[in-house]
């Protein structure tokens, strides 16, 4: 592939930042980000599955025939998710408890299958690793930011630490599903606004030259 | 190679490999998960029966159902209370409680939440000490009740969590249902009868780290 590894990594952090630019994986984004720590934990579990499954898919990309690639990828992803789920339940029962049913749901997180289809099946291991790490870290950052905003407004705390005093009346709606959509919409708007300003600046710089 | 044969082979090999991996991981993780659950259950018994040094498991089969109670005893074998699980539907899923009852079947000693899937920030506040502490010394006759927005007036009342009436109601209903079953099926003499003093070191010291 023509692009450098650095580019493949960096694009996940802004240019294709999930879930605001690459609008995939909305189910976990909306469902678990009611606190910063849940968002972070979900991001970490997702990057594990994203990275390992796409490396595997990149390895076997030439032996799998195109007609059965989707079921094959789904089996690989589901296996890894189950491994992650069992591992968390066995070693970190508390985290496993608080994430509840969301870990098994990583199977249907479109980011993972999306990256497999769009990238891993066409690229060798190194670019795939760079791509999934970038996308995965972007996803962790996004989920943590969303969780932080919702936790501050909905509980008045960050990572469980009380931030705002007694005067603060928590906006319960922020913790509920409706709050997820509000914050998500706001952040998509913000990201789009920043990039359109960037594009304008670049255009006017090109004009004045 | 014939493409159809290749497709079959692809899926068979991937399916078989993932089966092998999963059975291996499950073999390692399952005993650990069971041990975690067991430890949680034991810890919960000692939480809801303060003063207990050991417990005896009593079982009874009523119709299709198997009733299990844990009779807590102190270091001399004198009964300190009886603990049992109380499960039932909450707002989003099962709420599993451990309930500690005095041996005279009149008052609760304490409750602990073992599992719940309630709304974070609302229903899941049933896990908070402030809510659970209300059940300490609460009268279970004629039955446990809840009231909203006000401090409880009667010795069998608790105050429901504001914005989470359904979860509070579910907790109260689970307790009433379980208490009723235990009272109906385990004669009080069985609970007040002294047991042999626990031998050697108290059990929970070894489990609780």
């Amino acid at each position: 592939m023509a692009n450098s590894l650095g580019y493949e990594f960096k694009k996940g952090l802004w240019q294709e930042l999930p879930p605001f630019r690459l609008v995939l994986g909305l189910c976990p984004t909306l469902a678990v980000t009611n606190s910063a720590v849940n968002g972070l934990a979900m991001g970490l579990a997702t990057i594990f599955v994203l990275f390992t499954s796409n490396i595997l898919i990149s390895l076997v990309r030439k032996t799998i025939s195109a007609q059965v690639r989707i079921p094959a990828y789904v089996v690989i992803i589901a296996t890894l998710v189950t491994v992650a789920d069992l591992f968390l339940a066995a070693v970190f029962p508390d985290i496993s408890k608080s994430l509840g049913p969301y870990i098994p749901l990583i199977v249907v997180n479109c980011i993972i299958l999306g990256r497999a289809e769009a990238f891993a099946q066409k690229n060798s291991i190194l670019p795939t690793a760079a791509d999934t790490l970038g996308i995965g870290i972007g996803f962790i950052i996004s989920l943590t930011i969303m969780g932080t905003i919702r936790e501050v407004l909905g509980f008045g705390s960050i990572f469980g630490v009380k931030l705002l005093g007694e005067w603060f009346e928590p906006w319960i709606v922020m913790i509920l599903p409706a709050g997820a959509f509000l914050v998500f919409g706001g952040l998509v708007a913000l990201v789009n606004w920043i990039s359109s300003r960037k594009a304008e600046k670049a255009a006017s710089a090109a004009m004045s030259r | 190679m014939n493409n159809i044969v290749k497709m079959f082979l692809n899926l068979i090999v991937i399916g078989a490999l993932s089966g092998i991996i999963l059975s291996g991981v499950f073999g390692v993780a399952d005993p650990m998960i069971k041990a975690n659950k067991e430890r949680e259950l034991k810890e919960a018994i000692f939480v809801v029966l303060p003063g207990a040094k050991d417990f005896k498991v009593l079982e009874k089969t009523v119709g299709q159902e198997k009733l299990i109670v844990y009779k807590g005893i102190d270091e001399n074998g004198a009964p300190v209370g009886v603990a049992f699980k109380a499960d039932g539907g909450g707002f989003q899923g099962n709420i599993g409680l451990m309930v500690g009852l005095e041996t005279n079947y009149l008052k609760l000693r304490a409750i602990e939440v073992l599992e719940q899937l309630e709304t974070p920030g609302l229903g899941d506040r049933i896990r908070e000490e402030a809510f659970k502490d209300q059940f300490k010394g609460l009268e279970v006759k004629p039955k446990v009740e809840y009231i909203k927005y006000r401090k409880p007036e009667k010795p069998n009342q608790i105050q429901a969590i504001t914005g989470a009436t359904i979860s509070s109601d579910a907790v109260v209903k689970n307790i009433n249902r379980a208490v009723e079953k235990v009272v109906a099926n385990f004669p009080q003499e069985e609970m007040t009868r002294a047991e042999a003093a626990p031998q050697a070191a108290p059990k929970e010291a070894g489990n609780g780290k």
Side-chain angles (χ1 to χ4, degrees):
Chain A
M1 285 281 126
N3 295 319
S4 71
L5 290 183
Y7 168 79
E8 298 297 2
F9 176 75
K10 251 189 356 206
K11 73 178 191 296
L13 300 181
W14 179 257
Q15 205 181 335
E16 290 187 22
L17 177 72
F20 306 124
R21 302 303 294 268
L22 186 75
V23 189
L24 286 176
L26 289 186
C27 163
T29 306
L30 298 171
V32 301
T33 54
N34 44 38
S35 71
V37 76
N38 280 0
L40 182 65
M42 186 68 195
L44 288 173
T46 307
I47 198 175
F48 163 76
V49 176
L50 182 66
F51 183 73
T52 46
S53 62
N54 277 324
I55 292 283
L56 275 176
I57 287 166
S58 168
L59 274 174
V60 298
R61 70 186 189 281
K62 281 178 187 142
T63 48
I64 295 209
S65 61
Q67 292 93 329
V68 293
R69 66 182 194 283
I70 304 273
Y73 298 165
V74 171
V75 171
I76 292 175
I77 295 166
T79 305
L80 288 163
V81 169
T82 314
V83 168
D85 191 28
L86 288 171
F87 173 78
L88 281 180
V91 185
F92 301 108
D94 289 338
I95 295 183
S96 155
K97 251 187 169 179
S98 81
L99 287 179
Y102 296 116
I103 295 284
L105 280 179
I106 297 176
V107 176
V108 289
N109 186 331
C110 306
I111 289 184
I112 295 167
L113 199 56
R115 286 336 280 172
E117 274 285 287
F119 203 91
Q121 67 164 345
K122 298 175 200 147
N123 290 281
S124 56
I125 295 180
L126 277 180
T128 302
D131 172 75
T132 51
L133 281 179
I135 297 274
I137 290 170
F139 194 60
I140 292 178
I141 294 171
S142 304
L143 256 58
T144 311
I145 289 174
M146 260 188 87
T148 308
I149 294 174
R150 290 178 66 191
E151 194 181 339
V152 168
L153 295 177
F155 285 126
S157 60
I158 286 183
F159 284 101
V161 181
K162 205 93 188 123
L163 192 71
L164 303 171
E166 284 299 315
W167 54 268
F168 179 73
E169 181 64 35
W171 306 4
I172 299 289
V173 68
M174 279 310 184
I175 306 158
L176 299 178
F181 283 101
L182 291 175
V183 175
F184 181 70
L187 286 175
V188 169
L190 180 72
V191 166
N192 284 345
W193 180 71
I194 294 175
S195 31
S196 71
R197 257 180 44 133
K198 262 190 180 168
E200 265 172 36
K201 266 191 194 156
S204 63
M207 290 271 273
S208 62
R209 215 180 294 150
Chain B
M1 195 181 2
N2 187 331
N3 199 25
I4 291 178
V5 176
K6 191 180 172 193
M7 276 159 57
F8 272 115
L9 279 179
N10 278 164
L11 290 182
I12 288 169
V13 169
I14 287 181
L17 280 181
S18 85
I20 292 167
I21 292 171
L22 282 184
S23 66
V25 172
F26 187 77
V28 177
D30 192 48
M32 290 168 78
I33 295 171
K34 286 216 174 99
N36 284 339
K37 285 235 165 95
E38 186 121 324
R39 197 182 58 227
E40 237 167 57
L41 191 79
K42 272 189 186 162
E43 280 172 4
I45 292 170
F46 290 114
V47 166
V48 299
L49 296 177
K53 290 282 171 282
D54 197 359
F55 60 86
K56 281 191 81 94
V57 182
L58 305 178
E59 276 186 26
K60 240 170 224 177
T61 313
V62 183
Q64 296 285 318
E65 214 180 350
K66 205 164 154 200
L67 283 178
I68 302 174
V69 301
Y70 308 93
K71 179 177 169 182
I73 49 177
D74 66 10
E75 60 274 6
N76 302 317
V80 296
V82 51
F84 45 88
K85 280 170 91 172
D87 289 283
F91 185 57
Q92 282 172 339
N94 183 49
I95 297 183
L97 304 168
M98 180 63 78
V99 180
L101 187 64
E102 305 237 337
T103 51
N104 59 15
Y105 288 166
L106 293 177
K107 282 182 181 174
L108 294 178
R109 295 213 60 194
I111 66 161
E112 181 63 273
V113 179
L114 291 173
E115 67 175 289
Q116 58 88 24
L117 297 169
E118 303 304 286
T119 316
L122 289 173
D124 83 339
R125 291 177 60 202
I126 59 172
R127 288 184 304 180
E128 286 180 5
E129 298 298 327
F131 182 73
K132 289 188 293 193
D133 281 351
Q134 298 192 77
F135 291 89
K136 287 185 181 160
L138 196 71
E139 288 185 9
V140 294
K141 299 250 159 98
K143 61 176 187 170
V144 180
E145 292 170 353
Y146 66 90
I147 55 172
K148 295 195 227 176
Y149 315 123
R150 281 175 291 135
K151 289 265 164 279
E153 291 145 4
K154 295 188 202 147
N156 64 332
Q157 282 182 335
I158 59 134
Q159 186 181 350
I161 297 167
T162 306
T165 312
I166 295 175
S167 306
S168 311
D169 179 52
V171 169
V172 166
K173 279 200 179 126
N174 286 357
I175 292 174
N176 283 329
R177 211 180 305 126
V179 167
E180 200 177 301
K181 257 189 219 157
V182 169
V183 170
N185 292 298
F186 290 88
Q188 212 181 313
E189 299 86 73
E190 283 183 33
M191 294 307 153
T192 44
R193 192 191 305 140
E195 302 283 344
Q199 307 117 349
K203 256 188 186 169
E204 88 270 40
N207 295 316
K209 268 181 207 163

